[in-house]
Amino acid sequence: LWRGPLPSQATMSARLRHDPRVAALLTAVEQAREVTGGSPALDCVKTIDGKPLPVGGYSHDPDSRWGKALRSFQRGYKLFAVWGRSRMPLAWRVAPLNVSEQAMAQEMLPELAGDGGYVLGDKLYDINKLYDAAAAVGHQLVADRKRAGKGLGHCRHSPARLRALELLGTKFGRELYVLRDRIERRFASLTNYGG
């Protein structure tokens, strides 16, 4: 049990950035938590999304930013995650609220391990470069169309995007895409759990 004052926020931030022992401790905690959650290599269906984490309007937090959150503008952060069946996300980041989900997805998708599978995302992820990033690590991104009912236009489209559009037109694809809401329950458990 800790006795004495806790380290200041500045000290903790410096330790997180510069002390390899702290990074090793965090990695060990994640791995210990993962042991009871199932193997990431067995996850063939993964979900990707972002969850706004607003701070108070009068907060003086210098790292938080204004950004779009739940049909309004708020100040705070956003948790970005790729989740499979396990208790811990397969990849995750926390960034200011003004950072786009597409930019974070491009960082996290290369971290996916295993034998491939599907990555389910909402309409924000329906861009060619994310389909290519997922395909580069053996995954098929499946995201609903940004502009449903419109044509594809005349620009080049990723073969993985065309495959996803074809997949969403099948019964299997529609049933697969229903599983996307699993990540919403994960985020709700993290942020709304009373225990």
Side-chain angles (χ1 to χ4, degrees):
L1 296 175
W2 184 267
R3 296 193 188 271
L6 292 174
S8 70
Q9 179 58 47
T11 301
M12 288 304 299
S13 294
R15 288 178 182 168
L16 284 170
R17 279 193 300 273
H18 304 295
D19 193 336
R21 295 173 302 169
V22 175
L25 174 65
L26 292 175
T27 301
V29 168
E30 282 187 13
Q31 289 172 348
R33 182 79 173 140
E34 192 61 53
V35 168
T36 59
S39 169
L42 299 177
D43 285 333
C44 65
V45 178
K46 301 162 182 83
T47 51
I48 185 169
D49 207 355
K51 170 75 174 167
L53 304 170
V55 297
Y58 292 100
S59 171
H60 296 287
D61 184 349
D63 297 322
S64 66
R65 296 288 183 268
W66 286 94
K68 190 167 183 179
L70 302 173
R71 298 181 202 95
S72 66
F73 280 90
Q74 296 179 348
R75 185 174 174 176
Y77 298 91
K78 191 176 267 193
L79 169 63
F80 304 92
V82 178
W83 231 302
R85 293 183 313 151
S86 57
R87 293 183 179 137
M88 291 295 294
L90 301 171
W92 62 277
R93 304 276 191 287
V94 175
L97 200 50
N98 64 344
V99 175
S100 76
E101 291 188 29
Q102 294 94 340
M104 281 294 132
Q106 203 158 10
E107 274 188 33
M108 294 186 301
L109 286 171
E111 295 179 22
L112 297 183
D115 298 326
Y118 298 96
V119 180
L120 310 176
D122 59 21
K123 293 178 182 185
L124 290 174
Y125 298 93
D126 183 35
I127 58 174
N128 284 306
K129 65 182 178 181
L130 295 183
Y131 285 100
D132 290 337
V137 290
H139 287 75
Q140 172 65 58
L141 176 63
V142 180
D144 208 5
R145 288 196 54 195
K146 273 188 185 178
R147 296 177 185 94
K150 304 279 185 181
L152 291 177
H154 301 290
C155 63
R156 177 208 163 267
H157 291 282
S158 165
R161 181 172 189 240
L162 298 174
R163 170 72 181 118
L165 294 176
E166 178 184 312
L167 189 64
L168 285 171
T170 66
K171 182 180 180 201
F172 169 74
R174 289 187 298 272
E175 290 174 355
L176 175 70
Y177 195 68
V178 168
L179 299 175
R180 195 197 71 77
D181 70 349
R182 292 190 304 187
I183 198 164
E184 304 298 345
R185 290 192 295 275
R186 296 280 192 174
F187 284 148
S189 294
L190 282 176
T191 58
N192 297 321
Y193 178 62

